[in-house]
Amino acid sequence: MKFHTATIAIAATLLAAIPPLEAFARPSFGVLSRLSSSSRTAYNYNVASRGGAIYMNSGTDAKAKAEVVDIPTAPIEGMRPGTSGLRKKVDVWMGEHYVENFIQSLIDTAVDANGGKMLDTIVVAGDGRYYNNEAIQTIARLLAANGIKNIWIPQSGIMSTPAVSAVIRRRTADGSGNDGEGLAQGGIVLTASHNPGGPGEDFGIKYNEGLGQPAGEEFTDALYEKTLKLSSYKTISNAPEIDIDAPVGTEYQLTPTSAVTIIDPFQNYLDALKSCFDFDQLRKFGQRDGFSMIFDGMHGAGGKFSQRVLVEELGLPESSLMRCNPLPDFGKCHPDPNLTYASELVKLLGLLPDGAADPSLDISTLPALGAANDGDGDRNLIAGAGFFVTPSDSMALICDNWESIPQFSSKGGLNGVARSMPSSAALDVVAEARGIPCFVTPTGWKFFGNLMSSKESFDGIDYGPFLCGEESFGTGSDHVREKDGLWAVLAWMSILSKANENVGDGETLVGVKDIVTSHWAKYGRHYYCRYDYEGVDSDDANKVMDMIREKFVNSDVSSAVASESGIKLVDAVEFSYTDPVDGSQTSKQGLILNFQLPTGDPARVVFRLSGTGSAGATIRMYLEQYEKDSSKHDMSAPVALKDLAEEALSLVQMEKTTGRDAPTVIT
């Protein structure tokens, strides 16, 4: 590979005089203020252009000065990260010192976690939402000013979250590398995931640690504490702007010891996927008569990767892709791959808004497989012609069909599986039948990290190959340390390919519906859906949770009587978790009301407050009931769960407390 180099010759000097404020101010990034009280280290650089190398133009001054400066600041309230980083309205992030305060606190926390030593290599990438590029510039300056030597930014600044994890785990000095050989010690990911983007919408920053996993609670708690005590941050004034669209390999020397390198966003992630799947077999299956696919990128980061994998590698036609060009506002859509927000895809697959098949359509004319990604490419929706697969069922199906996936079959099967507590128990049933250890964790991908890295980090039990997922359309494995939407799509292509290996040319292919309904006939169906009450007043949301805790969890419910529909409350608990790997404890992770149906089968309703919103509170109510009788497996989930939902909402007085007579979204 030919590398282009952007060279800035830098020599450290002392400033004889302080230039005027205007010489340093970059108002679009909110970098500097109150320079009169800041400390500086100055660098001279000459701007030139010669040969094939790229040199940067800093303006008319051929000897402009770049300085490392300490900027006075003060703590800013509300910087406690949630289940996946800190998310706020973008206007908040664009406020004075906001990005800088958070990143300086993050750097200081990472240094503490690294034994007091400054990190050597960091990846910085985002999902392409509004303010992505400006924030990258700001963050690069802070990283360089603090002494981080290598700052890797993907070309265009856009990378899916699982791809960032792959870079951390795999990328070496020459850009290649196997799993576990990566040089990066962490990654800063600019994303608010499935939340809307654009002016007035959401922005977020999360941190992934050295194995590619989301930062754990110990790290995020320490980060928050540092935000409360911060008095200054380091940055570089008058730094040249980084052209994030420059050729791969371009370098920008920001200080004598810190450089930005523009890296290939695809290589390491593609290598990770090729270690999991048989691309040759998937390419052949994709060309079979009777198979077609539609993938909705929702204008998020995953669109670029679907183009690279599905079209360029697997040979699917361009017509297989929709909304796969990343946009800062996601095309004004809500980039959450569910039945509500992926409504166009849902219609193309012959589905009604509740996930049931549209009886007016001929399913033989519809795509065999449909899928969608969210804003940062880590979530997935899976469906077939006229058939929606819930995320919990998808996990269970992948587990039961591990022989179809080379990542698992080449190592004799799965050694461990895990699900978030609100997800349905469909995975548990399969794991028990298959003799696979199964774990139930709090919501948040970081809780899967210890299990996936038990051997790698703690010299404990090796649970790999490992499968895990959440009901919120997240599925993944230990090929990276994040959920991975495109991985789930390739897993389903592999399952379909295996199911059709003995189906002759011209015969009707085994479809998604055939595979799922056969699974239900074997294991029973876990009817499942989620009600989201978004933007609820925070005080009202807490009142709902407190009432459930006091009236049911902390009280005796044994005398409860059945409702008119025959549903009876039999137990109430609050979920807490002790990590089986490091022994850490996490409490208050959801309130569970357990019911008994008239048939004697179990049902449950879970209530929790979401940690992924940027304003107000989101109350999530998860509904699940088990049905063994295959003659009752053909209802849509919202219809099957209607009586259970009404009973639960009545018990917790949802409308009375919040004023909401219906959920914002049902998925």
Side-chain angles (χ1 to χ4, degrees), residues 539-549 591 607 619 652-654 657-658:
D539 290 339
D540 290 343
N542 285 319
K543 286 177 184 177
V544 171
M545 301 299 285
D546 289 342
M547 190 276 283
I548 298 171
R549 189 175 288 112
L591 302 169
F607 292 88
I619 302 174
V652 306
Q653 302 177 25
M654 182 70 77
T657 306
T658 67

Side-chain angles (χ1 to χ4, degrees), residues 165-171 178-182 211 456 481:
S165 184
V167 167
I168 295 171
R169 293 190 61 80
R170 287 176 169 268
R171 192 179 192 277
N178 297 315
D179 189 51
E181 295 180 351
L211 296 178
E456 192 173 22
R481 295 298 186 266

Side-chain angles (χ1 to χ4, degrees), residues 18 21 33-40 69-73 97 231-233:
I18 299 174
L21 177 63
S33 67
R34 301 197 297 275
L35 286 180
S36 60
S37 59
S38 64
S39 62
R40 300 182 171 92
V69 293
D70 276 299
I71 304 299
T73 188
H97 303 311
S231 60
S232 68
Y233 60 82

Side-chain angles (χ1 to χ4, degrees), residues 533-538 541-542 609-610 615-619 660:
Y533 294 82
E534 298 176 349
V536 176
D537 178 83
S538 295
N542 285 319
L609 300 182
S610 171
T618 295
I619 302 174
R660 302 293 185 89

Side-chain angles (χ1 to χ4, degrees), residues 263-415:
I263 67 170
D264 184 339
F266 304 112
Q267 179 179 353
N268 305 112
Y269 179 62
L270 187 59
D271 288 345
L273 290 180
K274 287 184 175 181
S275 74
C276 300
F277 303 104
D278 185 340
F279 270 46
D280 289 337
Q281 180 58 39
L282 292 180
R283 190 179 301 108
K284 291 176 183 177
F285 178 70
Q287 308 307 314
R288 288 198 61 168
D289 290 339
F291 179 81
S292 62
M293 177 182 173
I294 188 76
F295 180 93
D296 184 357
M298 304 193 86
H299 294 304
K304 292 166 54 106
F305 292 84
S306 64
Q307 169 76 31
R308 183 71 176 84
V309 173
L310 299 178
V311 175
E312 297 178 28
E313 291 290 333
L314 300 185
L316 295 178
E318 291 273 359
S319 58
S320 299
L321 306 181
M322 60 182 286
R323 300 197 294 182
C324 283
N325 56 315
L327 295 174
D329 63 353
F330 303 110
K332 302 192 183 304
C333 81
H334 190 142
D336 192 352
N338 59 42
L339 293 169
T340 299
Y341 296 126
S343 58
E344 186 177 350
L345 174 69
V346 167
K347 289 178 183 177
L348 290 173
L349 292 165
L351 296 169
L352 299 173
D354 66 355
D358 184 342
S360 68
L361 297 178
D362 178 3
I363 65 169
S364 66
T365 65
L366 303 174
L369 180 63
N373 262 176
D374 68 334
D376 65 329
D378 63 352
R379 300 185 185 216
N380 71 93
L381 177 150
I382 298 294
F387 197 87
F388 170 64
V389 184
T390 70
S392 295
D393 277 342
S394 181
M395 272 193 293
L397 265 293
I398 293 172
C399 178
D400 199 38
N401 288 272
W402 60 258
E403 293 92 344
S404 305
I405 300 169
Q407 175 189 1
F408 303 147
S409 61
S410 65
K411 297 180 180 178
L414 288 158
N415 284 331

Side-chain angles (χ1 to χ4, degrees), residues 452-530:
M452 286 190 275
S453 299
S454 173
K455 179 69 173 177
E456 192 173 22
S457 296
F458 301 94
D459 198 27
I461 298 172
D462 187 357
Y463 293 114
F466 191 80
L467 170 71
C468 51
E470 299 174 336
E471 54 72 36
S472 53
F473 295 84
T475 315
S477 76
D478 55 350
H479 69 296
V480 292
R481 295 298 186 266
E482 286 280 5
K483 48 186 173 281
D484 188 348
L486 200 48
W487 181 93
V489 175
L490 298 185
W492 270 93
M493 282 190 70
S494 299
I495 291 170
L496 287 167
S497 176
K498 182 74 171 178
N500 285 283
E501 63 183 0
N502 295 320
V503 176
D505 292 339
E507 297 180 31
T508 301
L509 295 179
V510 176
V512 171
K513 180 179 180 179
D514 302 316
I515 292 169
V516 178
T517 54
S518 294
H519 179 90
W520 289 342
K522 180 179 180 180
Y523 292 106
R525 180 176 181 183
H526 291 255
Y527 277 106
Y528 186 89
C529 73
R530 187 182 87 195

